[in-house]
Amino acid sequence: MQDNNFNNEEGSIGIGAMIVFIALILVAAVASAVIIQTGEKLQQNAQQSGDDTQREISGKITINSAFVVDNAGADSAMRLYVESAPGSGVLATSDIVYQITCENAGAYQFLSSTFSNGDGTADANEVYLMSDPNDVAGTAILTMSPGQNYMIDIVVGGAAGADCDIGDLGVNGAMTLWIHVQGGGSSYETIYISSTDVGTLLI
């Protein structure tokens, strides 16, 4: 009987140790799963942040300067001199959108269009190479390449009191200009009107 009791006690201790061992394995497995899942989530977030940053850098427009080219009525316009930002690739002008907001006639005004309608014809709101900015009968630029300077005349006039007419806004007036690249970054400038005279520097 004594030998049987001794064996039973050893068997009980062995079963208890096995239960503890299995419990430790289960805890370790759960902890490993949590650590692996957390690591994968952090890697995905880092990858997403990297991709977003790459898109932001690889497509962006730099605004070098802006001038008044017409100061009254439906033809009121400003001329922008722009280039693709460092690190940008070749950008399609039809994928570049500008937005202009202002307060005119006591109301919020909003204008928006692309840098090109994609047909290559020479008209308002089309981009041209700086090397031939006065060739209004020429072909508009459909893509913007790194290292090149471009110009675009943006019409801000329209229906009286329902636009951002430079003459209506007057001296000390202001407009907000955004330029967005589809799938890329955005540029932002606040345009202050120090004078409505043609040729006045706005930026």
Side-chain angles (χ1 to χ4, degrees), residues 11-203:
S12 298
I13 294 172
I15 293 174
M18 183 176 65
I19 293 173
V20 172
F21 179 69
I22 294 173
L24 289 174
I25 292 176
L26 292 175
V27 170
V30 171
S32 298
V34 171
I35 292 172
I36 292 172
Q37 185 178 13
T38 302
E40 290 178 349
K41 182 66 175 177
L42 291 174
Q43 182 181 8
Q44 291 174 359
N45 291 341
Q47 184 67 39
Q48 183 65 44
S49 298
D51 292 343
D52 292 343
T53 302
Q54 181 63 33
R55 283 194 297 269
E56 179 81 14
I57 294 174
S58 63
K60 196 171 184 179
I61 297 297
T62 298
I63 305 169
N64 294 327
S65 60
F67 296 86
V68 178
V69 291
D70 199 315
N71 57 12
D75 295 327
S76 179
M78 60 180 174
R79 176 167 294 178
L80 297 182
Y81 294 93
V82 300
E83 62 181 328
S84 55
S88 296
V90 176
L91 306 176
T93 52
S94 57
D95 289 338
I96 305 172
V97 178
Y98 71 81
Q99 295 174 327
I100 296 175
T101 60
C102 68
E103 184 176 346
N104 189 10
Y108 174 82
Q109 308 297 339
F110 176 85
L111 308 172
S112 178
S113 184
T114 62
F115 265 34
S116 171
N117 56 20
D119 62 4
T121 58
D123 50 28
N125 296 345
E126 294 281 356
V127 180
Y128 296 88
L129 271 171
M130 278 284 294
S131 59
D132 196 10
N134 295 317
D135 185 11
V136 294
T139 301
I141 301 299
L142 298 181
T143 58
M144 295 177 61
S145 300
Q148 296 282 356
N149 293 312
Y150 300 88
M151 58 148 283
I152 178 173
D153 288 347
I154 293 181
V155 177
V156 294
D163 55 18
C164 292
D165 182 347
I166 293 172
D168 285 349
L169 295 180
V171 177
N172 297 325
M175 292 180 276
T176 300
L177 169 65
W178 284 92
I179 298 179
H180 309 285
V181 177
Q182 182 177 345
S186 299
S187 305
Y188 165 85
E189 288 285 351
T190 300
I191 298 171
Y192 297 101
I193 302 172
S194 59
S195 171
T196 59
D197 294 340
V198 173
T200 299
L201 180 66
L202 298 172
I203 297 176

